C-alpha cells in the first residue's frame, strides 16, 4: 500500500476519508515516499492519536465493567462486550492504530523534520509516539519496538524492556523540550491549523510529556516498588504546574472524521478501521450505578451528583423515569426495551463536538493522590483527592453548589484521618469514565473486590465489582479469573508474525489472555 495515501489523509480530514485496501502487516515499513511537508503530516498523527485514545477507552469501558449491553452471549464479534471469547475476533484497532496510523506516519514525520531541522516537530512527534507505545504495551504486553518496521515479522521486545525504553525516552524528551532548539526561529511554524490541540505551544506540550512520565512511573505502584511513590508524586505535581488539558476538539459535520468518536453521529473510520461507539445499545452496569454513583433502587436517590451529567434517565411505557442498569452480560429482561435505559449521549463527553482529551487534569490529581498515599503522606493524598473530584465535576459542568455539597460530605469524601486506597481508586474510576486508564487501574489492583480476597494495605479496592455473567466457559470456567490483556491482532500478527506468537506461547492460546502485565499482581 502506498504510504502517500495516508500521509495525505490531511485532505480527508477536511473532505472525508477515501477507501483503501488492507495493509499486509501493520508493523512493516511501508513504501517510501517523497518529501512531504511536516506541517501536512502532523495533523494526521494528532488525529490518529485522538482515535487511538478512543480505541483503548472504548474497549476499556466494557472490560472495566462500567458499561454492558442488552445481550448475554458467551461469544460475539465484540468479545470485550460479551463473554471474553477473544480468539474469535478478527481485528483489534489499537494494534493498527499504533503501528500503522500513528507509528508509520510518525516515522516519516521524524525523518522529514530531522532533514529540515524542525526541532519542534521532532519533539512533539516523539512525545506522541511515546504515548502510543505506552497505551499499546499496556493493552498487549510484549510487542515489536527495536525491530518495528524492519520487516513484516519483527522480534517482539519484552514489556520490561519497553518500559525501560519509555523511561529513557521520557527523560531524553524532557531535555529536548528544555532546549532552546525546540523554539528556535528556524523551526517550521506550527499554528492552529497544524496543531489543533495547543497551536504549537511547546511549553504546554512539555507538561503533557511530564504527565506521560507520571503515568509510566505509576506502574511501579502498588506491585513493583512502592518505594518509588515519592518519585511518582513529584512527576504528577510537576505536570500539574501550569497544566492545560490536551484536548482534540471536533467541529462536527457531515464527514466521519469531523465528529467526536464518542458522539451520536460517529461512524467507523473507513468503515472497518475502527469501531463505532454503539452507545445507543450500551447500558450502564450495576457496579457503576449502585456501587459508584450510590444509586438506591428502592428510593431512586443517588449520592453522586455526576450521575445525571454523564447520562439521562429515560421513561418506560408506563411513564416511569428511572436510571435503569444491568449486571454485566446478564441480558436485558424480555419485557424491557433498550429505549428505557439511560441515554448515554446526554453528556458533554458524548456530543459530536466533544473533545478527546489525551490526559486529564483529574487523572494527574488521582495519580498524585495514590502516590501520596503510598508515600505515607495522607494529607497530600486527601488534598489531591478533593482536587481530582472537583476537576472531573467541572468537566461535566456540575453546578458549584452540588460540587461543594458532595466534597463537604465527610461520609462520601474522607479527610486525611480516614482516607484509604479504595476512596482514591473508586473516585478515580468515576473520573476515568470513557478514558484509557480505567481498565489499567483495575488490572494494577488485581480487580480487587469483596469476593476474590485481594486486598492492598488491608483494603478491598473495588467493593461490588463482579465478573460478567455468561463468560465463555471453555476459557473462563475458573472462578475469579479476569482478563489481563488482549490477544495480538489476528488480521496481521497471526498471518505475518506467527513464529513470534508461537515463541511467546501466545498463538491462539486463551491462557495468554490471563497472563498479567508486569505491573499487575502475578498469579
Amino acid at each position: 500500500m502506498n504510504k502517500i495515501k495516508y500521509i495525505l489523509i490531511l485532505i480527508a480530514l477536511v473532505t472525508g476519508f477515501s477507501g483503501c485496501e488492507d495493509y499486509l502487516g501493520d508493523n512493516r515499513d511501508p513504501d517510501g515516499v517523497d518529501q512531504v511537508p511536516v506541517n501536512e503530516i502532523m495533523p494526521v498523527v494528532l488525529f490518529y492519536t485522538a482515535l487511538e485514545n478512543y480505541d483503548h477507552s472504548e474497549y476499556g469501558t466494557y472490560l472495566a465493567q462500567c458499561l454492558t449491553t442488552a445481550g448475554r452471549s458467551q461469544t460475539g464479534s465484540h468479545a470485550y462486550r460479551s463473554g471474553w471469547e477473544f480468539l474469535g475476533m478478527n481485528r483489534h484497532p489499537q494494534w493498527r492504530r499504533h503501528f500503522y496510523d500513528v507509528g508509520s506516519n510518525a516515522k516519516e514525520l521524524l525523518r522529514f523534520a530531522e532533514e529540515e531541522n524542525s526541532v519542534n516537530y521532532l519533539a512533539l512527534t516523539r512525545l506522541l509516539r511515546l504515548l502510543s507505545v505506552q497505551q499499546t504495551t499496556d493493552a498487549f504486553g510484549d510487542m515489536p519496538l527495536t525491530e518495528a518496521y524492519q520487516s513484516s515479522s519483527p522480534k517482539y521486545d519484552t514489556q520490561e524492556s519497553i518500559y525501560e525504553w519509555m523511561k529513557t525516552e521520557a527523560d531524553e524528551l524532557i531535555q529536548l523540550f528544555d532546549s532552546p532548539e525546540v523554539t528556535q526561529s528556524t523551526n517550521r511554524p506550527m499554528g492552529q491549523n497544524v496543531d489543533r490541540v495547543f497551536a504549537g505551544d511547546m511549553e504546554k506540550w512539555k507538561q503533557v510529556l511530564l504527565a506521560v512520565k507520571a503515568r509510566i512511573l505509576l506502574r511501579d505502584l502498588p506491585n513493583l516498588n512502592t518505594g518509588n511513590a515519592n518519585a511518582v508524586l513529584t512527576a504528577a505535581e510537576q505536570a500539574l504546574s501550569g497544566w492545560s488539558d490536551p484536548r482534540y476538539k471536533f467541529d462536527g459535520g457531515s464527514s466521519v472524521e469531523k465528529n467526536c468518536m464518542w458522539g451520536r453521529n460517529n461512524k467507523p473510520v473507513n468503515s472497518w478501521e475502527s469501531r463505532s461507539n454503539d452507545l445507543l445499545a450500551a447500558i450502564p452496569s450495576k457496579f457503576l450505578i449502585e456501587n459508584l454513583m450510590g444509586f438506591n433502587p428502592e428510593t431512586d436517590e443517588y449520592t453522586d451528583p455526576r450521575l445525571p451529567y454523564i447520562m439521562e434517565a429515560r421513561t418506560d411505557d408506563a411513564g416511569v423515569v428511572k436510571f435503569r442498569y444491568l449486571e454485566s452480560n446478564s441480558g436485558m429482561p424480555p419485557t424491557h426495551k433498550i429505549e428505557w435505559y439511560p441515554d448515554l449521549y446526554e453528556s458533554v463527553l458524548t456530543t459530536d463536538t466533544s473533545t478527546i482529551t489525551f490526559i486529564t487534569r483529574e487523572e494527574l490529581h488521582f495519580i498524585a493522590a495514590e502516590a501520596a498515599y503510598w508515600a505515607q503522606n495522607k494529607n497530600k493524598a486527601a488534598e489531591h483527592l478533593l482536587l481530582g473530584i472537583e476537576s472531573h465535576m467541572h468537566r461535566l459542568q456540575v453546578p458549584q453548589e452540588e460540587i461543594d455539597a458532595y466534597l463537604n460530605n465527610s461520609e462520601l469524601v474522607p479527610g486525611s484521618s480516614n482516607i484509604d486506597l479504595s476512596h482514591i481508586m473508586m473516585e478515580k474510576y468515576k473520573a476515568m469514565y470513557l478514558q484509557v486508564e480505567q481498565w489499567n487501574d483495575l488490572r494494577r489492583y488485581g480487580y480487587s473486590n469483596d469476593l476474590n480476597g485481594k486486598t492492598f494495605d488491608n483494603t478491598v479496592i473495588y467493593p461490588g465489582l463482579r465478573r460478567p455473567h455468561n463468560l465463555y466457559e471453555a476459557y473462563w470456567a475458573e472462578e475469579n479469573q479476569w482478563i489481563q490483556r488482549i490477544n495480538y491482532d489476528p488480521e496481521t500478527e497471526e498471518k505475518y508474525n506467527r513464529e513470534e506468537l508461537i515463541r511467546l506461547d501466545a498463538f491462539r492460546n486463551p491462557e495468554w489472555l490471563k497472563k498479567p502485565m508486569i505491573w499487575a499482581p502475578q498469579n
Side-chain angles (χ1 to χ4, degrees), residues 1-7 21 23-25 28-34 36 100 104-105 107-108 111-112 149:
M1 175 183 190
N2 195 333
K3 181 69 167 57
I4 198 72
K5 275 191 173 182
Y6 262 73
I7 288 183
E21 65 275 16
Y23 175 61
L24 301 181
R28 189 179 71 183
D29 190 19
D31 297 338
V33 297
D34 296 329
V36 177
Y100 188 54
S104 289
N105 284 296
K107 180 175 177 290
E108 297 301 317
R111 179 164 67 92
F112 298 147
Y149 307 108

Side-chain angles (χ1 to χ4, degrees), residues 161-303:
S161 66
I162 292 169
Y163 260 86
E164 288 304 312
W165 177 87
M166 289 194 294
K167 291 174 183 177
T168 300
E169 178 74 354
D171 288 339
E172 290 180 358
L173 276 174
I174 289 171
Q175 295 181 24
L176 182 59
F177 272 89
D178 283 340
S179 71
E181 288 78 14
V182 83
T183 55
Q184 64 191 2
S185 60
T186 54
N187 287 333
R188 186 184 290 265
M190 189 189 299
Q192 187 69 39
N193 62 325
V194 175
D195 171 13
R196 66 188 300 137
V197 179
F198 288 138
D201 189 326
M202 290 294 109
E203 284 297 320
K204 291 180 179 177
W205 279 117
K206 181 191 172 184
Q207 297 310 111
V208 176
L209 168 61
L210 294 172
V212 175
K213 178 180 178 179
R215 186 189 276 180
I216 292 168
L217 294 179
L218 180 66
R219 298 303 186 263
D220 280 346
L221 309 179
N223 303 295
L224 295 179
N225 187 0
T226 55
N228 283 345
N230 274 314
V232 180
L233 174 60
T234 297
E237 291 190 325
Q238 286 178 341
L240 282 164
S241 178
W243 177 259
S244 296
D245 276 346
R247 299 182 176 187
Y248 190 98
K249 182 72 171 67
F250 292 86
D251 300 323
S254 57
S255 56
V256 170
E257 69 287 337
K258 291 185 178 181
N259 294 293
C260 176
M261 296 86 179
W262 286 113
R264 194 180 296 270
N265 292 320
N266 174 250
K267 302 290 189 301
V269 174
N270 259 359
S271 79
W272 61 271
E273 285 182 22
S274 62
R275 305 191 190 282
S276 59
N277 60 60
D278 290 342
L279 290 183
L280 281 175
I283 294 173
S285 70
K286 179 181 178 181
F287 179 59
L288 173 65
I289 301 299
E290 286 193 14
N291 297 97
L292 288 148
M293 294 297 170
F295 182 81
N296 185 331
E298 296 182 0
T299 64
D300 289 350
E301 295 178 343
Y302 49 89
T303 58

Side-chain angles (χ1 to χ4, degrees), residues 251-510:
D251 300 323
S254 57
S255 56
V256 170
E257 69 287 337
K258 291 185 178 181
N259 294 293
C260 176
M261 296 86 179
W262 286 113
R264 194 180 296 270
N265 292 320
N266 174 250
K267 302 290 189 301
V269 174
N270 259 359
S271 79
W272 61 271
E273 285 182 22
S274 62
R275 305 191 190 282
S276 59
N277 60 60
D278 290 342
L279 290 183
L280 281 175
I283 294 173
S285 70
K286 179 181 178 181
F287 179 59
L288 173 65
I289 301 299
E290 286 193 14
N291 297 97
L292 288 148
M293 294 297 170
F295 182 81
N296 185 331
E298 296 182 0
T299 64
D300 289 350
E301 295 178 343
Y302 49 89
T303 58
D304 195 309
R306 282 171 282 192
L307 180 57
Y309 293 93
I310 62 174
M311 65 186 73
E312 181 179 81
R314 291 199 282 193
T315 181
D316 62 13
D317 289 350
V320 177
V321 179
K322 192 179 183 73
F323 286 104
R324 296 176 179 85
Y325 49 91
L326 294 174
E327 295 183 6
S328 294
N329 207 39
S330 62
M332 186 175 69
T335 57
H336 282 206
K337 299 177 181 178
I338 191 69
E339 294 81 8
W340 296 357
Y341 290 83
D343 186 347
L344 300 177
Y345 289 116
E346 290 299 318
S347 167
V348 296
L349 303 176
T350 53
T351 72
D352 292 334
T353 57
S354 292
T355 62
I356 293 288
T357 306
F358 300 159
I359 298 181
T360 66
R361 179 186 298 273
E362 48 267 35
E363 179 184 336
L364 288 169
H365 280 301
F366 284 111
I367 289 174
E370 181 186 350
Y373 181 91
W374 283 111
Q376 308 299 315
N377 190 340
K378 292 190 176 182
N379 286 329
K380 185 156 282 191
E383 173 190 342
H384 281 290
L385 174 65
L386 287 170
L387 291 170
I389 296 169
E390 185 173 27
S391 177
H392 187 237
M393 288 187 171
H394 281 310
R395 185 178 307 280
L396 296 175
Q397 300 179 4
V398 178
Q400 190 63 47
E401 59 270 20
E402 295 183 37
I403 297 175
D404 293 340
Y406 185 82
L407 295 179
N408 292 326
N409 187 331
S410 59
E411 293 184 2
L412 299 174
V413 183
S416 58
S417 62
N418 60 341
I419 190 173
D420 65 29
L421 277 169
S422 182
H423 293 134
I424 296 169
M425 300 312 298
M426 291 281 274
E427 285 292 349
K428 186 182 180 186
Y429 183 105
K430 289 185 274 189
M432 293 296 98
Y433 178 70
L434 305 185
Q435 279 288 326
V436 173
E437 285 292 279
Q438 193 180 59
W439 184 42
N440 293 335
D441 288 335
L442 258 69
R443 290 181 291 156
R444 278 197 303 118
Y445 280 93
Y447 296 95
S448 168
N449 63 73
D450 43 314
L451 289 185
N452 66 11
K454 291 186 179 180
T455 60
F456 294 81
D457 199 28
N458 300 312
T459 301
V460 171
I461 305 301
Y462 300 105
L465 177 67
R466 299 290 182 266
R467 289 200 315 171
H469 292 262
N470 303 304
L471 291 177
Y472 188 59
E473 193 170 352
Y475 300 172
W476 306 103
E478 186 176 326
E479 194 69 24
N480 289 324
Q481 276 189 332
W482 289 80
I483 187 164
Q484 301 292 340
R485 63 179 70 210
I486 301 169
N487 59 310
Y488 294 109
D489 186 53
E491 197 61 30
T492 58
E493 300 311 285
E494 290 187 9
K495 292 181 179 179
Y496 305 105
N497 211 356
R498 180 176 297 190
E499 291 305 312
E500 275 296 281
L501 301 192
I502 292 172
R503 181 183 67 81
L504 293 172
D505 200 22
F507 178 68
R508 305 209 54 80
N509 179 10

